[in-house]
Amino acid sequence: MHLSRRRLRTFAAVLFSLALSLPAAAAPPAPAAGPRATVDQVAAAIDRNFYDPERAARLAAQLRSETGSGRYDAYADPRDLATALSQRLSQEDKHFRVEWRDPARFPPPDARERGAPDADYADAARRGNYGVRTLQTLPGNLGYLDLRELPDLDFADAADPARRALDASLALLAGSDAIILDLRGNGGGSPASVGYLVSAFTPRDAPIYNVFRWREGGRLRSQSEAPAQWYAQPRLEVPLYVLISARTGSAAEALAYTLQAARRATVIGERSGGAANPGDEFAAGAGFRVFVATGSPTNPITGGNWEGRGVQPDVDAEPAQALNVARERALQRILAAGGKGTGALEARWALETLRAQAAPVAMVAADYLGQYERMRIDEQGGQLVLRDGRRPPQTLIALQPDLFCLSDDPRLRLRFERGADGRVAALQTQRADGGGSRYRR
């Protein structure tokens, strides 16, 4: 069983779909219903829709009690009331949030043209490239995908652009010797993407997918996060690393949590946001809307989820350093596999370059400056640069005394040769495939 399309949405996905409708600057608030009437409608929306009926009733009663004591009476500005309610409710569930939009400028959904919200979402998803921010091959043949949103997928549509974007990304990673999936800036999205991406790295029908208990129309149901269609050519053995941070939320957390629980990926970074429960927005009158978690996942391996706790990384790292930590571990694993030939040498050179960048090797720049036939070594901004005719200059990284590589391509090394007098006399370029050239000074 799989999750129905758009039945469950994370709050990040709702924000994404509303991005086009936000005003460029804050406008003076329009008159709204009194705080007590608003809080009562928020409480009613929670009571009707929150995934746990007992907690829903208890929370709704608490809100009404707080209202009766005058806790929210001072919030004359509807924006301040929305913020206060969001802060109050987030203590109960990380997805709770109350928003206010001037109804004179932003009509409620039932007053808009039918289908407009989905059209807004589709356009925002397209302009965001369906979450794909960066896709590249890092030195050592490491595939890197920076994914900022988990897009909604329509498995019934063979030409669904979101699925085609994910498929294209996975296809371009197919030749990588290790893969790094960067979710540090991913606030969530659709559970459909979670199941589909998990299936790209795990055996078909593996019992690893979160099962959602959700509430609709007063009834409780359950559904699996397993995809409606499985990725056709999963990579079951490729080393996989997932980067997370405190900004990683919701469906992005589900992706990291599922792969980690299945022991399929190494999670690197800091503890994630801790928002497990997806849901939807509900009207609360006078321009107010409240996001309520209508579902909650349970992982079949851990028996729990990450709500309030976040995904705990396997390897702690500052977010800014998480990528380099993953790169080093991936390269070490590639080398530990015992491969030979050019690929193995490129991986070793990439690892040595990464370590040299972290701990620069001391060198005397003046020793190397000068002309080497058509090549020239200059100093620029405290770094050595290689100039080759009209080509753009390339910065060098010192690996050892007299041994350097290009900062953007560790596959090419430069070894400086010294004469009997100890002075540098020649420059030799070296490639991992054994080729190279020598230039006299």
Side-chain angles (χ1 to χ4, degrees):
M1 189 183 298
H2 64 277
L3 293 176
S4 302
R5 185 168 185 249
R6 293 199 177 93
R7 182 176 300 284
L8 297 177
R9 294 189 292 172
T10 62
F11 181 67
V14 172
L15 287 182
F16 194 50
S17 69
L18 292 171
L20 295 178
S21 64
L22 294 177
R36 296 196 179 200
T38 295
V39 176
D40 184 69
Q41 291 205 50
V42 168
I46 293 171
D47 200 9
R48 287 192 304 268
N49 300 291
F50 190 63
Y51 72 91
D52 185 329
E54 292 184 5
R55 284 182 61 196
R58 182 169 62 251
L59 180 55
Q62 290 173 353
L63 285 174
R64 289 178 175 124
S65 175
E66 292 167 4
T67 301
S69 67
R71 175 171 174 172
Y72 303 103
D73 288 354
Y75 295 106
D77 189 316
R79 298 169 297 186
D80 294 337
L81 177 60
T83 299
L85 287 171
S86 294
Q87 292 174 343
R88 163 67 178 91
L89 292 170
S90 66
Q91 301 170 24
E92 304 289 338
D93 188 287
K94 294 292 185 180
H95 272 99
F96 271 130
R97 188 175 179 90
V98 178
E99 293 277 331
W100 180 82
R101 292 182 288 278
D102 187 344
R105 302 182 65 194
F106 305 104
D110 57 359
R112 300 177 187 169
E113 181 182 352
R114 186 174 181 82
D118 277 354
D120 285 352
Y121 176 88
D123 186 60
R126 176 190 60 79
R127 292 187 296 104
N129 201 30
Y130 307 100
V132 179
R133 174 65 63 86
T134 305
L135 178 64
Q136 66 183 114
T137 299
L138 300 174
N141 197 31
L142 307 181
Y144 173 74
L145 173 59
D146 181 358
L147 196 61
R148 298 300 178 93
E149 176 80 14
L150 289 162
D152 196 17
L153 304 181
D154 185 356
F155 290 105
D157 180 4
D160 177 39
R163 184 177 174 187
R164 292 176 67 181
L166 292 185
D167 282 342
S169 299
L170 292 169
L172 289 172
L173 295 172
S176 303
D177 292 329
I179 293 175
I180 300 171
L181 180 58
D182 193 344
L183 303 178
R184 288 175 295 177
N186 192 318
S190 169
S193 284
V194 176
Y196 191 60
L197 286 170
V198 168
S199 78
F201 301 103
T202 57
R204 182 167 181 160
D205 293 318
I208 60 175
Y209 293 91
N210 299 313
V211 175
F212 283 83
R213 178 182 61 157
W214 53 275
R215 189 178 178 194
E216 183 181 35
R219 300 171 60 187
L220 292 176
R221 303 183 182 183
S222 64
Q223 285 186 299
S224 171
E225 203 168 40
Q229 294 179 19
W230 305 83
Y231 187 70
Q233 297 177 309
R235 298 196 66 191
L236 305 181
E237 304 297 333
V238 65
L240 180 62
Y241 301 85
V242 178
L243 311 185
I244 63 172
S245 75
R247 294 178 60 193
T248 306
S250 208
E253 292 178 279
L255 180 54
Y257 190 87
T258 302
L259 290 168
Q260 181 188 57
R263 299 185 180 275
R264 184 57 192 88
T266 300
V267 177
I268 298 174
E270 66 179 355
R271 182 168 62 90
S272 64
N277 304 326
D280 213 338
E281 275 195 331
F282 298 91
F288 286 92
R289 297 184 70 79
V290 56
F291 190 94
V292 179
T294 57
S296 182
T298 299
N299 184 273
I301 298 173
T302 68
N305 64 36
W306 57 97
E307 176 63 33
R309 296 183 294 275
V311 180
Q312 307 294 324
D314 299 305
V315 180
D316 289 316
E318 291 294 327
Q321 298 301 318
L323 177 55
N324 282 345
V325 172
R327 290 174 62 187
E328 181 163 352
R329 284 178 169 261
L331 291 167
Q332 288 174 332
R333 186 165 172 182
I334 290 170
L335 293 171
K340 300 185 183 300
T342 302
L345 186 56
E346 286 183 358
R348 180 165 66 82
W349 283 10
L351 180 59
E352 291 172 354
T353 300
L354 194 63
R355 289 172 173 171
Q357 289 174 313
V361 175
M363 55 93 182
V364 180
D367 284 358
Y368 310 102
L369 302 180
Q371 193 74 36
Y372 298 78
E373 299 186 30
R374 71 171 199 193
M375 303 286 195
R376 181 172 182 83
I377 302 297
D378 288 331
E379 186 174 10
Q380 182 175 302
Q383 294 180 305
L384 292 182
V385 294
L386 170 69
R387 298 184 186 276
D388 183 3
R390 295 179 56 251
R391 298 174 183 175
Q394 294 174 285
T395 304
L396 304 184
I397 295 175
L399 302 172
Q400 300 171 13
D402 298 342
L403 181 64
F404 296 76
C405 72
L406 300 182
S407 62
D408 62 348
D409 188 358
R411 295 175 300 175
L412 182 66
R413 291 186 162 189
L414 285 74
R415 183 177 294 278
F416 292 88
E417 300 177 7
R418 293 182 183 265
D421 59 359
R423 297 179 60 193
V424 173
L427 178 161
Q428 180 182 355
T429 61
Q430 300 174 332
R431 298 196 307 269
D433 64 4
S437 301
R438 186 175 186 272
Y439 304 92
R440 294 179 300 174
R441 192 174 192 177

